[in-house]
Amino acid sequence: MAARKPRRKQDIEKRREEILKAALDVFMEKGYGTATMPDIAQRAGVAAGTLYLYYPSKRELFVAVVKNFIVSASLIDLLSEMPKDDFPTVLKSIVKNRFDLVKNPDFSRVPLIMSEVQRDPELKKLWLKDFLQPIMQRIEIPVRMMGATKKFREYQPEVLVRVIGGMFMGFTLLRIVEGDASPLNKLDQDKVADDIVNFILHGVMNEPKGGV
Amino acid sequence: MAARKPRRKQDIEKRREEILKAALDVFMEKGYGTATMPDIAQRAGVAAGTLYLYYPSKRELFVAVVKNFIVSASLIDLLSEMPKDDFPTVLKSIVKNRFDLVKNPDFSRVPLIMSEVQRDPELKKLWLKDFLQPIMQRIEIPVRMMGATKKFREYQPEVLVRVIGGMFMGFTLLRIVEGDASPLNKLDQDKVADDIVNFILHGVMNEPKGGV
Amino acid sequence: MAARKPRRKQDIEKRREEILKAALDVFMEKGYGTATMPDIAQRAGVAAGTLYLYYPSKRELFVAVVKNFIVSASLIDLLSEMPKDDFPTVLKSIVKNRFDLVKNPDFSRVPLIMSEVQRDPELKKLWLKDFLQPIMQRIEIPVRMMGATKKFREYQPEVLVRVIGGMFMGFTLLRIVEGDASPLNKLDQDKVADDIVNFILHGVMNEPKGGV
Amino acid sequence: MAARKPRRKQDIEKRREEILKAALDVFMEKGYGTATMPDIAQRAGVAAGTLYLYYPSKRELFVAVVKNFIVSASLIDLLSEMPKDDFPTVLKSIVKNRFDLVKNPDFSRVPLIMSEVQRDPELKKLWLKDFLQPIMQRIEIPVRMMGATKKFREYQPEVLVRVIGGMFMGFTLLRIVEGDASPLNKLDQDKVADDIVNFILHGVMNEPKGGV
DNA sequence: AATGAATGAGCTTTCATTCAT
DNA sequence: GATGAATGAAAGCTCATTCAT
C-alpha cells in the first residue's frame, strides 16, 4: 500500500533483475499470452505500474526476459572447460558430472520458452544466433578436432554436431516430459551415463573382432 | 441477424473438423493465450458464435485440438512397417526415406504445441500416455530384438530407446529452429542420412582392433 | 430432432397456448431479462425457431404472456358470486373458503410479474386498466352498498376499497414471502380467518360497553 | 489508455457508494437481467471496468445493492419512535405524519426489487430475516401491548401483525401501481388518513348502541 | 521512484433472431 | 409448420497501460 524500498542507484538494477526473474517465472508457467502484468508484478513484489518504469510494455518485458535468458543460461558453461584429455574421458566426465540438465532450472525451461520464441521473428533470429549457434559452435570444436584424428570415424562435422547436440537435447526433453513416469528414474544413473557415453563412442553394433 | 451457411446433417461433422483444423493452426501460430476465438472463427470461415455450437469453450476446443492431434499425428506410422531385414538396412531405409519429419506438418508442430500441453495436467498426462509412450514402445521393439543378438552391444533398453528417440527428436527440432539458416541444407541429403545411420551403428570411434 | 406433431388448425391454437404457458413459467422463474428463448422453447417442447412462428419477438411474447395472465387470472372469480346474504356472512365465506390465494398459482405469481410490468409503460397501463381496476370495482360494489346502510360506518369508498383490497394483497404477499417460515402456518387456519373477518368488521378497539 | 479520475483514499468509499447507488437505480429501472454493467457504469460516471474494482461481478454487485438496501431502507425508522400515548393517538400520528411511504424513495422501490430477491435463495433468506421480520417485530410490540388491555379486542398477535402490516404494504403498493390514475389523489389526504385510522380502530361495522 | 485506481479496448461467451432444409 | 445450425450484436469481464498522488 505504501511506497516500498526507495533505492540507491545500485538497488535499481537489483529491482530490474527481480522483475526480470519474476517475469521469466510467470511467462514460463503460464505462457506469454496467458501471463498477466499483475501476475508478474505480484511475483516481483511490486505494483503493476512499477513494471512500466523498467520496461515499456509486456512485449518488451518478454523480449528482455528472453534476451536475458539467452545470455545468462548456463548451458554454454556446461561445455566450457573442455579439458585436454582424450575424448572418451572428457565425454564421460561431461555426461556423468554435468548432464543433470533436467535439474538445471535453465535447461528445463528451454522447451517452454522456445515455442514462444519461435513465434516472434526477432526473437527467433536472436535465439538462433546468440543461443543455439554458440552452443553448436562449442560442440563443433572437439568434433572438428576429432575429425583430424585417425582415432575417429569421418563424419561431416555439421551433421555430427547436430546429431550429438540434438541427442542431448532430445534425451533431456524426454526426461522432462516423462517426469516422474520415466523408467530411467529407477536405473542406476551411473550406468545410464555409461550407456550414453558408449553409444556415442561405439554406436549399437558390436564390432566384430578383427574389423568390420 | 442473418444466417449464412446452414448445413446438411452430413456436413456437420465436416464443419467440426474444419473448426478443429483452423483452431490447430491458430493455436500453433499464436499460442493458446494469444489465440482468440474470433481468430479461429475467421480462419474456419464461420461466425464466432458458431464455434460454441461445436465446442463449449476455448479451453475445451484446445483440449479437443490436442487430443485430435495426438491420434491423428502420423508419427507412429513413420515407424510402422518395420521390415524384417537386418537392422542396418532397416535403419538406412527409415532415415533416408521417411526421415523428412521436418517437412511433416504434424511433427514440426510438436514443439509448438508441446509447451502448452505441459501446462495442463490433464493434457500432459494424455500426451505422455497416448503420444509419447506409443512412440517409445514402437522404437523399443527393434531395440529389444537387438539386445538379444551378439551382433549388438548390450545397452539398457530404456536408455537406448530414449537416446535414439531423443536423437531423432532433437535433431529434427534443431532443423526446425535453424530453418533456412541450417548449414545442413547445403549438404547432400543422402550423405547426411548416411552419417546419421553410421553414427547410430558405430558411434564416433574408429575401432582400433585390427581393422579400418 | 425430428419434426414433431404436425397439426390441424385446431391444434395450432393449442400449441400457441403451450408456448404461452411455458413462457409464463420461465418469465416468472427467471425474470424477463434473464429468461431466454431457448429456455422457453425447451419448456414448451418445441425448437427455438418455432417460437417465432407464433410470436414475432421475445418482447411480444412477454406482452402476450402478461395480457393472457391478466384475462385468465382467476382472481376476479374469487369475488364473482357475491351472494345476497348480509355482509359479515359473505365476508366470512370469502375469507374462509376462497382466501387460499397463496396457493392459487396465478395469484402467487402476481408479485413476480408485476415488477416487470411496471417497467413497460404499455403493460403498466394495461395492468391497471384490465387487471387492477376490475378487481377494485368488484370490491367497490359491496363497499358502496354498505355505505348506504346504517349498519356500516361511513368511509370514503375509494379509500375503503383500497384499504381492504390492499389488506388482502399485502397479507397474501407476506405469506408468499415468508413461505414456510411464517408462524401463521402453525395456527388453526379457521381461527386465522376468523381474526381477519373480525378485524375487518370491528377493528382493534373493544367498543366500550354501553356505546361510544 | 487514459486515466481520468484517480481519487484520494478517502474518496474511495464515496465512489463505492456512488456505484452502489447507480446500480440500485439501474437494477430497479430495468430489472436484474436487463440491466447492464455499462448502464450502471455510465450512471455512476465511471468506466465499465471500474465497477470490477469495487465488485467482482454483476451478481455480487446486485447482492451488495440488496444488502445495502435492506440496512439503509428507512422503513423501520418510520415506526421507531412509538410514543407512549394511547394507541389511537399514536396510530393517527403515524398514518398522518409518516405514511407518505409512496413518496419514500426506498419504499416505492420495494416491490420492484422484491421480485428479483425472491429468485435468489440467499437474498430471499436475507430479505426475510433482516428486512421483513424486523419490520414485523416492530409492529408486534404495540400489538402485543394492546392484547394485554381490555380496551382492545383479542386477536392472535401473529395474525394481527400481518393483517395490519400487510394492509399498509398493500395499500401503498396500490398507490404506487395506480400512480397518477388513483382517485385517492383527488381526496383530502387528511380525510384519507382518518378513514384508515378509523378502519383499523373500528372496522366497517357500526357498533350497535349499547355494546356488542 | 513507486503506487494502484482508473480506463477502455478487446476478449470469451450468450442469445435473439433468421432461414435453408 | 417445424427445425436447429448459423449469425453477430452485445453482454460480462480482463488486463495492458496511464497518471495523479
Side-chain angles (χ1 to χ4, degrees):
Chain A
M1 295 256 170
R4 209 190 294 203
K5 304 190 214 170
R7 299 287 179 132
R8 273 151 283 136
K9 277 179 205 167
Q10 156 191 30
D11 292 326
I12 288 182
E13 196 49 38
K14 196 168 152 197
R15 172 156 294 196
R16 177 181 286 273
E17 279 167 28
E18 285 167 4
I19 289 173
L20 216 51
K21 183 174 170 358
L24 174 64
D25 286 349
V26 175
F27 282 134
M28 295 306 97
E29 212 164 89
K30 309 220 178 175
Y32 174 76
T34 311
T36 73
M37 295 299 267
D39 272 353
I40 294 167
Q42 186 170 36
R43 185 83 60 116
V46 301
T50 304
L51 298 180
Y52 288 84
L53 298 177
Y54 293 87
Y55 300 94
S57 73
K58 184 185 179 184
R59 189 80 222 157
E60 297 269 357
L61 173 54
F62 180 65
V63 170
V65 162
V66 174
K67 287 184 178 173
N68 184 66
F69 181 86
I70 287 175
V71 301
S72 80
S74 50
L75 301 182
I76 293 172
D77 301 339
L78 288 168
L79 306 162
S80 58
E81 6 155 2
M82 203 60 95
K84 301 303 170 197
D85 284 322
D86 68 313
F87 184 68
T89 310
V90 170
L91 187 62
K92 223 168 279 179
S93 149
I94 290 177
V95 172
K96 286 200 178 171
N97 301 325
R98 291 183 247 165
F99 194 43
D100 52 354
L101 298 183
V102 184
K103 286 164 197 157
N104 180 310
D106 283 330
F107 194 94
S108 63
R109 264 158 179 159
V110 169
L112 285 178
I113 208 175
M114 201 178 52
S115 63
E116 302 286 2
V117 167
Q118 291 300 306
R119 293 185 183 113
D120 181 304
E122 184 205 340
L123 288 180
K124 188 175 174 176
K125 201 180 297 178
L126 217 64
W127 181 265
L128 186 59
K129 189 168 143 298
D130 294 342
F131 184 73
L132 212 54
Q133 287 182 348
I135 294 179
M136 290 294 125
Q137 280 157 15
R138 188 76 63 169
I139 302 178
E140 204 167 346
I141 296 168
V143 160
R144 285 196 176 275
M145 294 196 314
M146 282 158 52
T149 311
K150 283 282 174 183
K151 287 178 64 180
F152 297 95
R153 288 174 166 269
E154 284 183 25
Y155 291 110
Q156 299 168 91
E158 300 89 344
V159 180
L160 193 53
V161 162
R162 283 161 183 79
V163 166
I164 295 178
M167 198 198 79
F168 280 102
M169 205 171 291
F171 183 82
T172 308
L173 205 63
L174 280 175
R175 294 207 72 164
I176 293 169
V177 173
E178 291 195 307
D180 296 337
S182 172
L184 296 186
N185 296 328
K186 294 174 195 154
L187 303 182
D188 178 336
Q189 295 307 301
D190 250 24
K191 290 191 176 168
V192 170
D194 283 339
D195 276 1
I196 294 172
V197 169
N198 280 324
F199 174 78
I200 295 174
L201 294 176
H202 310 107
V204 298
M205 301 289 292
N206 221 341
E207 298 303 325
K209 297 268 167 60
V212 177
Chain B
M1 297 247 168
R4 213 168 308 177
K5 291 194 242 167
R7 298 294 176 120
R8 272 156 276 141
K9 230 181 200 173
Q10 138 194 42
D11 290 323
I12 287 185
E13 195 50 37
K14 199 169 150 195
R15 169 144 310 191
R16 177 181 283 272
E17 280 165 27
E18 285 167 5
I19 290 173
L20 213 53
K21 185 176 168 357
L24 174 64
D25 287 349
V26 176
F27 281 135
M28 295 306 99
E29 212 165 272
K30 308 217 179 178
Y32 174 77
T34 310
T36 73
M37 295 300 266
D39 275 352
I40 294 168
Q42 188 169 34
R43 184 83 59 115
V46 301
T50 303
L51 298 181
Y52 290 85
L53 297 177
Y54 293 87
Y55 300 94
S57 71
K58 184 184 178 186
R59 188 83 220 154
E60 298 263 1
L61 174 53
F62 180 66
V63 169
V65 162
V66 173
K67 287 184 179 175
N68 184 66
F69 180 86
I70 287 175
V71 300
S72 80
S74 49
L75 299 182
I76 292 173
D77 301 338
L78 288 169
L79 307 163
S80 59
E81 4 156 1
M82 204 58 96
K84 303 300 170 200
D85 284 322
D86 68 313
F87 184 69
T89 310
V90 170
L91 188 61
K92 223 168 278 180
S93 150
I94 289 177
V95 172
K96 285 198 178 172
N97 302 324
R98 290 184 248 164
F99 193 41
D100 53 354
L101 298 182
V102 183
K103 287 163 197 158
N104 179 308
D106 281 331
F107 195 95
S108 65
R109 264 157 180 162
V110 169
L112 286 177
I113 208 176
M114 202 178 52
S115 63
E116 303 286 3
V117 167
Q118 291 300 306
R119 293 186 184 112
D120 182 305
E122 185 205 339
L123 289 180
K124 188 175 175 176
K125 202 181 295 180
L126 217 63
W127 181 265
L128 186 59
K129 189 168 144 300
D130 293 342
F131 183 74
L132 211 54
Q133 287 181 349
I135 293 179
M136 291 294 123
Q137 280 157 15
R138 189 76 63 169
I139 302 177
E140 203 167 349
I141 295 168
V143 161
R144 285 198 176 273
M145 294 196 316
M146 283 159 51
T149 310
K150 284 281 174 185
K151 288 177 64 180
F152 298 95
R153 289 174 167 270
E154 283 182 25
Y155 292 111
Q156 298 168 92
E158 299 90 344
V159 180
L160 193 53
V161 162
R162 282 160 184 81
V163 165
I164 295 178
M167 198 198 79
F168 279 102
M169 205 169 288
F171 184 81
T172 307
L173 206 63
L174 280 174
R175 295 207 71 163
I176 293 169
V177 173
E178 291 195 306
D180 296 338
S182 173
L184 295 186
N185 296 328
K186 295 173 194 156
L187 303 182
D188 177 336
Q189 295 307 301
D190 251 24
K191 289 192 177 167
V192 171
D194 281 339
D195 275 2
I196 294 172
V197 169
N198 280 324
F199 175 78
I200 295 173
L201 295 177
H202 309 108
V204 297
M205 301 289 292
N206 226 339
E207 296 304 324
K209 293 273 168 64
V212 177
Chain C
M1 297 255 169
R4 213 188 290 200
K5 304 189 215 169
R7 299 285 179 135
R8 273 152 284 137
K9 277 177 203 168
Q10 155 193 32
D11 291 325
I12 287 180
E13 197 49 39
K14 196 168 152 196
R15 172 155 296 197
R16 177 181 286 273
E17 280 167 28
E18 284 167 6
I19 290 173
L20 216 51
K21 185 177 168 356
L24 174 64
D25 287 348
V26 175
F27 281 134
M28 294 307 98
E29 213 164 87
K30 309 219 180 177
Y32 175 76
T34 310
T36 73
M37 294 299 266
D39 272 355
I40 294 167
Q42 188 170 35
R43 185 82 60 115
V46 301
T50 303
L51 298 181
Y52 288 84
L53 299 176
Y54 293 87
Y55 301 94
S57 71
K58 184 185 178 185
R59 189 79 222 158
E60 297 270 356
L61 174 53
F62 180 65
V63 170
V65 161
V66 173
K67 287 184 179 175
N68 184 67
F69 181 86
I70 287 175
V71 300
S72 80
S74 49
L75 300 182
I76 294 172
D77 302 338
L78 287 168
L79 306 164
S80 58
E81 6 155 1
M82 202 60 94
K84 304 301 171 201
D85 282 324
D86 69 313
F87 184 69
T89 309
V90 170
L91 187 62
K92 225 171 277 182
S93 152
I94 290 178
V95 173
K96 285 201 178 171
N97 301 325
R98 294 184 244 164
F99 193 43
D100 51 355
L101 297 182
V102 184
K103 285 164 196 157
N104 179 310
D106 282 329
F107 194 95
S108 64
R109 263 159 182 159
V110 168
L112 285 177
I113 208 175
M114 200 179 53
S115 62
E116 303 285 2
V117 167
Q118 291 301 305
R119 294 185 183 112
D120 182 304
E122 185 206 339
L123 288 180
K124 188 175 174 176
K125 201 179 298 177
L126 218 62
W127 181 266
L128 186 58
K129 190 169 143 296
D130 294 342
F131 184 74
L132 212 53
Q133 288 182 349
I135 293 179
M136 290 295 123
Q137 281 157 15
R138 188 76 64 170
I139 301 177
E140 205 167 346
I141 296 169
V143 161
R144 286 197 177 274
M145 293 196 315
M146 283 159 51
T149 311
K150 284 279 175 188
K151 287 180 63 181
F152 297 95
R153 289 175 167 268
E154 283 182 29
Y155 291 111
Q156 299 168 91
E158 300 89 344
V159 179
L160 192 53
V161 162
R162 284 161 183 80
V163 164
I164 295 179
M167 197 200 79
F168 280 102
M169 205 170 291
F171 184 82
T172 308
L173 205 64
L174 280 174
R175 294 208 72 163
I176 292 170
V177 173
E178 290 196 307
D180 296 337
S182 173
L184 295 187
N185 296 328
K186 294 175 195 152
L187 303 182
D188 178 335
Q189 295 308 300
D190 251 24
K191 290 191 177 166
V192 170
D194 282 340
D195 275 1
I196 294 171
V197 169
N198 280 325
F199 175 77
I200 295 173
L201 294 177
H202 310 107
V204 298
M205 301 289 292
N206 224 340
E207 297 305 324
K209 295 267 167 62
V212 177
Chain D
M1 294 245 170
R4 213 168 308 175
K5 293 196 244 166
R7 298 294 177 121
R8 270 157 277 138
K9 232 180 199 171
Q10 136 194 44
D11 289 325
I12 286 185
E13 195 50 37
K14 199 168 151 195
R15 170 146 308 192
R16 176 181 284 274
E17 279 166 29
E18 284 167 7
I19 289 173
L20 212 53
K21 184 175 169 357
L24 174 64
D25 286 349
V26 176
F27 281 134
M28 294 307 99
E29 210 164 274
K30 309 219 180 178
Y32 175 77
T34 309
T36 73
M37 295 299 267
D39 275 351
I40 295 167
Q42 189 169 34
R43 183 82 59 115
V46 301
T50 303
L51 299 181
Y52 291 88
L53 297 178
Y54 293 86
Y55 301 94
S57 70
K58 184 184 177 185
R59 188 82 221 156
E60 298 263 2
L61 174 53
F62 180 65
V63 169
V65 161
V66 173
K67 287 185 178 175
N68 185 66
F69 181 86
I70 286 175
V71 300
S72 80
S74 50
L75 301 183
I76 292 173
D77 300 340
L78 288 169
L79 307 164
S80 57
E81 4 158 1
M82 203 60 95
K84 303 301 170 201
D85 284 323
D86 68 311
F87 185 69
T89 309
V90 170
L91 188 62
K92 224 168 279 180
S93 150
I94 290 178
V95 172
K96 286 201 177 170
N97 301 325
R98 292 184 245 164
F99 194 43
D100 51 355
L101 297 182
V102 184
K103 285 164 197 156
N104 179 310
D106 283 329
F107 195 94
S108 64
R109 264 157 180 160
V110 168
L112 286 177
I113 209 176
M114 202 179 51
S115 63
E116 303 286 2
V117 167
Q118 291 301 306
R119 294 187 182 110
D120 182 305
E122 186 205 339
L123 288 181
K124 189 175 174 176
K125 200 180 298 179
L126 217 63
W127 181 266
L128 186 58
K129 190 169 144 296
D130 294 341
F131 185 73
L132 212 52
Q133 287 182 350
I135 293 179
M136 290 294 122
Q137 280 158 15
R138 189 75 62 168
I139 302 177
E140 204 167 347
I141 295 168
V143 161
R144 284 198 177 273
M145 295 195 315
M146 284 158 51
T149 311
K150 283 280 176 189
K151 288 178 62 182
F152 298 95
R153 291 176 165 267
E154 284 182 29
Y155 291 111
Q156 299 168 91
E158 299 90 344
V159 179
L160 193 52
V161 162
R162 283 160 183 80
V163 165
I164 295 179
M167 199 199 78
F168 280 101
M169 205 170 291
F171 183 82
T172 308
L173 206 63
L174 280 174
R175 294 206 74 163
I176 293 170
V177 173
E178 291 195 307
D180 295 338
S182 173
L184 296 186
N185 296 328
K186 295 173 196 155
L187 303 182
D188 178 336
Q189 296 307 302
D190 251 24
K191 289 192 177 167
V192 170
D194 282 340
D195 275 2
I196 294 172
V197 169
N198 280 324
F199 174 78
I200 295 173
L201 294 177
H202 309 108
V204 297
M205 299 289 292
N206 222 341
E207 297 305 324
K209 297 264 167 61
V212 178

